Amino acid sequence: MGAMEQCRAGAPAGRRVLVVEDEPLIALALEETLAEHGFLVVASAQTVAIALRHVAVAQFDVALLDLAIGAESVEPVADRLAALGIPFVFATGYGRFALPAAHAARPIVEKPFRTEALIAALVAAARRAAQEA
């Protein structure tokens, strides 16, 4: 069994992540950083349409959503995740004021990422969701 298969089989609860990020190099760096901290990126999307498909079929515990996916807003993905009760964290370089009004209280991590803040936000979001379930 390769490392990826072992990681998939052994991903602890609360550690499976959907990453929605339109910049391939940032997505790759996120995957590596998350893996180093015990997370598994089970799916990655560079468009809203692909992200919505992953939301429908992928098994993940928490999502990291870049606020702007190219010219698109990630709001439809956030709306769907909220409706399903799946926790998520916004990633943005624009600050909290740029969040969609319906999700203004959601957690954010500022770009450029500080690894500690990113990991803490994902852990806290997954933990809150588990406590509310």
Side-chain angles (χ1 to χ4, degrees):
M1 184 181 325
M4 189 57 135
E5 289 82 9
Q6 285 178 332
C7 193
R8 283 191 200 286
R15 296 288 179 138
R16 297 170 301 170
V17 182
L18 165 67
V19 173
V20 181
E21 169 60 60
D22 61 334
E23 294 291 334
L25 291 177
I26 294 175
L28 182 60
L30 281 169
E31 190 166 340
E32 291 174 3
T33 298
L34 292 172
E36 290 169 2
H37 289 84
F39 286 87
L40 172 66
V41 175
V42 296
S44 187
Q46 294 180 346
T47 69
V48 169
I50 292 171
L52 288 170
R53 275 187 253 144
H54 285 312
V55 169
V57 300
Q59 303 237 335
F60 58 93
D61 305 303
V62 63
L64 179 63
L65 308 178
D66 185 0
L67 190 58
I69 302 299
E72 297 179 282
S73 167
V74 79
E75 189 171 6
V77 180
D79 292 344
R80 187 70 189 127
L81 291 169
L84 293 170
I86 299 171
F88 58 93
V89 174
F90 285 111
T92 179
Y94 301 109
R96 182 165 295 283
F97 73 90
L99 295 182
H103 303 290
R106 295 286 178 171
I108 67 169
V109 288
E110 295 276 347
K111 287 183 171 184
F113 295 114
R114 282 187 20 258
T115 300
E116 306 78 33
L118 172 65
I119 300 304
L122 290 172
V123 167
R127 186 175 296 133
R128 269 193 310 275
Q131 289 171 349
E132 293 169 3

